[in-house]
Amino acid sequence: MQQQPDLFELYFDLQAGTEPPAIFHRWALAASISAWLGRQCWFPFGSRRIFANQYVMFVGDPGSRKSTAIRDARDIVRRAGYTQFAAKKSGKEKFLDDLMRGMGNDDEEAPDIEAFSVLDTDQKTARECFIVADEFNVFLGRSNLEFLEILGDMWDWDDEVDFWKYALKGSKSAKIWQPTVTILGGNTPTGFTECFPAASIGQGFMSRMILIYGESTGRKITIPPPQDDAKVFNILKLLLDIRQKLHGPMKLQSQALHALDMIYKSWPELDDQRFKHYSTRRFNHLIKLSMILAAARVSQEITVADITHANTVLAFAETQMPKAIGELGKAKNAEATNKVMQALYSTKRPLTAQDLWPTVRFDLEKITDLSQILSNLSQADKIQVIELPNRKHGFLPKQKMIGRNVLYVDQSYLKGKELP
């Protein structure tokens, strides 16, 4: 029997040799598939259901080609017929109004709040939307904690009896039946700290978001060639097969149940305590990604291979997440420390304190403060000291790989993609 083609394999083949890093292509497609699935498939979880929708945020320098990867994946599902895109710029009232009425025009910008009608409705029609924002701060605004709380609450909403409700200013309120929201956003390290202030670290939205850090591949394509029509056709055909054939609950292979049990009971929390809340929802992230990988094969049965594949790419992404969040926090000189780490992440050679001083000289009073920051980062095992000629010391970030104590990991899934 001929093996069913895998959507990820087809997509990696389509994007081979393009400028964005493979990790961006992988997670852009994963988020797009999750939006494509919507609520037509779910994973039974006790008395509740887990849906495949994801909140994915790319973080990287402007040259890392976040926008290219995001737009390419969006265009694929759009060509397949997906229309439930959120507006490019919004506010919580505009977003809730659009979601209640049904999305479909991602080019509209938010009108004045006075233009809103009363949002109460008893219509029991499931609503979904795909927030695709390569400049996420344009969509959300800066430090919009109230909007983030709304999005965080919708991530795992599943109530088959009551509406999702939210009280607005005055007498207006939103009542939305079965909302399903997917996010694929992009940000720079600087923009990320503006969008997510230190106060947001312990907030629920952060635990529901998967941060994907990517660096420039160094590839330069002056004029990108058009995509291969035959390859695009095969991807679109597979997406339509998913829409037509996959409905209802996902099944779990017996060996896959054992794998999930082992991972759930043995997975070590991330070393960075800022991701403590993420760790509490990590298992849900794993199930969502496993559903997506099964769907990519046009299957409703999650296998051990799907679990291993999902756990591997998720564990690798987690090793990079501290790079994405930088030194976000309340510690003294946190902003300067963040700038130091971002400079080290983007370099290909060891940088001395003298090399780094121009980056932080407006944030620190004297260069000895920078020396203290470097000493603290070294003791925290975030950077390594490199001996240079003339008794100088250079610094590079420490690269952390998936630990051996993480079960069900097969790095062959990363070879030729995230890993060389």
Side-chain angles (χ1 to χ4, degrees):
M1 185 174 66
Q2 187 176 7
Q3 187 176 1
Q4 173 72 46
D6 180 272
L7 193 52
F8 281 90
E9 292 176 5
L10 294 178
Y11 194 70
F12 275 126
D13 184 41
L14 176 70
Q15 299 289 6
T18 56
E19 292 189 0
I23 193 170
F24 283 169
H25 284 314
R26 183 193 295 280
W27 284 95
L29 181 62
S32 299
I33 294 174
S34 74
W36 183 252
L37 286 171
R39 294 184 93 84
Q40 72 179 50
C41 288
W42 62 84
F43 183 85
F45 197 75
S47 59
R48 300 180 64 80
R49 300 174 296 177
I50 294 176
F51 295 92
N53 65 306
Q54 291 190 317
Y55 290 179
V56 176
M57 178 70 68
F58 292 172
V59 181
D61 291 332
S64 58
R65 296 296 183 262
K66 304 178 298 295
S67 296
T68 302
I70 289 171
R71 293 169 185 171
D72 282 356
R74 174 203 63 190
D75 290 346
I76 283 290
V77 292
R78 173 183 277 164
R79 291 181 65 176
Y82 190 89
T83 60
Q84 302 303 300
F85 293 100
K88 292 179 180 178
K89 183 178 180 180
S90 193
K92 65 178 186 296
E93 292 90 356
K94 164 67 173 171
F95 175 77
L96 294 174
D97 185 71
D98 283 348
L99 188 56
M100 187 206 72
R101 301 174 191 284
M103 298 287 179
N105 186 354
D106 63 337
D107 292 323
E108 273 189 36
E109 293 195 357
D112 295 334
I113 187 172
E114 302 301 329
F116 280 63
S117 59
V118 177
L119 301 183
D120 286 311
T121 178
D122 292 323
Q123 185 179 6
K124 290 188 176 181
T125 302
R127 297 301 188 188
E128 64 180 82
C129 83
F130 190 9
I131 300 171
V132 183
D134 54 317
E135 298 289 345
F136 191 71
N137 291 12
V138 174
F139 169 80
L140 187 83
R142 297 179 178 180
S143 303
N144 197 338
L145 297 182
E146 192 173 357
F147 198 175
L148 289 175
E149 288 175 358
I150 290 172
L151 294 172
D153 192 47
M154 287 184 175
W155 180 73
D156 55 356
W157 180 265
D158 183 34
D159 192 324
E160 297 183 272
V161 177
D162 201 1
F163 288 83
W164 182 93
K165 300 174 184 176
Y166 188 84
L168 296 169
K169 293 179 181 178
S171 59
K172 299 176 183 179
S173 63
K175 290 172 58 179
I176 302 172
W177 184 254
Q178 294 286 295
T180 310
V181 179
T182 301
I183 297 175
L184 176 57
N187 227 320
T188 63
T190 301
F192 185 87
T193 58
E194 293 174 349
C195 184
F196 302 100
S200 69
I201 293 178
Q203 195 190 49
F205 180 83
M206 293 288 284
S207 68
R208 294 163 169 87
M209 184 170 58
I210 299 177
L211 299 175
I212 303 299
Y213 180 83
E215 298 174 346
S216 172
T217 61
R219 289 189 288 267
K220 300 292 184 181
I221 303 173
T222 305
I223 301 178
Q227 291 183 327
D228 188 310
D229 288 340
K231 293 180 179 179
V232 172
F233 175 81
N234 289 333
I235 291 173
L236 297 177
K237 183 179 181 299
L238 212 55
L239 284 169
L240 293 176
D241 284 346
I242 291 171
R243 176 61 57 86
Q244 294 170 5
K245 297 177 180 179
L246 305 188
H247 295 275
M250 286 274 188
K251 299 177 182 178
L252 198 61
Q253 194 183 63
S254 59
Q255 297 94 324
L257 175 60
H258 175 71
L260 283 177
D261 182 63
M262 294 290 290
I263 293 170
Y264 180 65
K265 294 177 178 177
S266 68
W267 183 79
E269 290 190 5
L270 299 181
D271 294 335
D272 195 323
Q273 287 301 300
R274 295 173 299 174
F275 294 104
K276 182 176 181 180
H277 296 286
Y278 166 85
S279 295
T280 64
R281 288 188 170 85
R282 200 265 185 182
F283 190 65
N284 293 62
H285 287 297
L286 176 64
I287 290 175
K288 286 173 177 281
L289 187 55
S290 300
M291 293 171 63
I292 291 166
L293 290 169
R297 300 182 291 102
V298 196
S299 173
Q300 283 188 236
E301 183 179 54
I302 299 173
T303 66
V304 174
D306 294 323
I307 299 294
T308 304
H309 191 171
N311 199 45
T312 301
V313 299
L314 187 58
F316 179 80
E318 289 161 354
T319 66
Q320 309 299 304
M321 282 169 63
K323 293 183 179 181
I325 203 172
E327 297 306 305
L328 180 64
K330 298 180 180 179
K332 181 181 178 181
N333 295 328
E335 185 173 351
T337 305
N338 185 52
K339 289 182 179 180
V340 168
M341 288 305 302
Q342 294 305 324
L344 293 177
Y345 287 141
S346 60
T347 187
K348 301 299 181 183
R349 64 178 180 85
L351 299 181
T352 65
Q354 288 73 22
D355 295 328
L356 291 165
W357 177 243
T359 303
V360 296
R361 65 190 181 92
F362 294 114
D363 302 287
L364 302 174
E365 293 182 0
K366 49 190 181 298
I367 197 169
T368 53
D369 294 335
L370 173 59
S371 299
Q372 185 61 52
I373 287 175
L374 293 169
S375 176
N376 292 341
L377 289 171
S378 178
Q379 293 180 33
D381 204 33
K382 290 192 172 184
I383 63 174
Q384 54 187 317
V385 182
I386 309 296
E387 295 290 339
L388 298 175
N390 301 323
R391 296 184 179 180
K392 290 185 177 181
H393 294 92
F395 302 91
L396 283 173
K398 283 200 171 181
Q399 301 293 332
K400 293 187 177 181
M401 300 305 295
I402 301 172
R404 292 183 178 179
N405 55 344
V406 178
L407 301 179
Y408 288 93
V409 164
D410 182 353
Q411 297 198 27
S412 66
Y413 288 113
L414 307 174
K415 294 293 178 63
K417 300 177 181 68
E418 285 89 334
L419 299 181

